[in-house]
Amino acid sequence: MYVLQIEHPIRDFETWKAAFDRFSDKRRHSGVRRHQIFQPADDENYVVLDLEFESEGEADAFLGWLRSEVWSSREASPALAGGPQTRIAKVMETQQY
C-alpha cells in the first residue's frame, strides 16, 4: 500500500473542500482506495491529506495529474494559498488500538 501525502496552505476550508469534492470520481477511477483530510488544530488555513493507493505507480500518476491539471489552474484549485508539499510513502505497518 502507498500513500500520497499532500499538505498546503488554503484560503478557506469550505471553498477548498468543495473543489476537492468535485474530483471524487477522478480519485476513484485513479485508484484512490481511501482518503483522510487533516487540519492542524491551530491553523484553519492549512490542510494535510493522505490518499491511499494499491501501487506506487497509481500514486505517482495521480500526483502528475494533480500537478498538471489541478494545481496549475486557478479555477480547479480556487482556495490554494501556496504550493503543495508532497511525498509518496510506502505503508510499512498499520496497527489499530
Side-chain angles (χ1 to χ4, degrees):
M1 195 72 56
Y2 291 83
V3 175
L4 171 55
Q5 299 174 325
I6 304 167
E7 46 185 280
H8 53 77
I10 58 171
R11 289 182 183 82
D12 170 67
F13 183 81
E14 298 306 320
T15 302
W16 176 87
K17 181 67 166 72
F20 178 83
D21 288 345
R22 283 196 306 266
F23 297 112
S24 63
D25 285 342
K26 177 65 176 176
R27 284 191 301 278
R28 188 174 15 264
H29 292 20
S30 297
V32 176
R33 304 286 183 246
R34 178 174 89 136
H35 77 261
Q36 291 183 287
I37 301 170
F38 305 92
Q39 196 166 44
D42 63 347
D43 190 353
E44 65 183 31
N45 293 316
Y46 203 83
V47 291
V48 178
L49 297 101
D50 283 354
L51 304 176
E52 195 172 283
F53 295 85
E54 198 62 38
S55 74
E56 183 178 7
E58 288 174 322
D60 191 52
F62 191 74
L63 177 56
W65 176 79
L66 286 171
R67 287 178 174 150
S68 67
E69 301 296 325
V70 178
W71 298 332
S72 64
S73 165
R74 178 65 118 184
E75 294 80 32
S77 55
L80 288 189
Q85 295 180 30
T86 64
R87 78 176 55 84
I88 297 173
K90 183 178 181 180
V91 177
M92 301 305 289
E93 180 176 352
T94 300
Q95 179 68 47
Q96 282 189 279
Y97 295 95

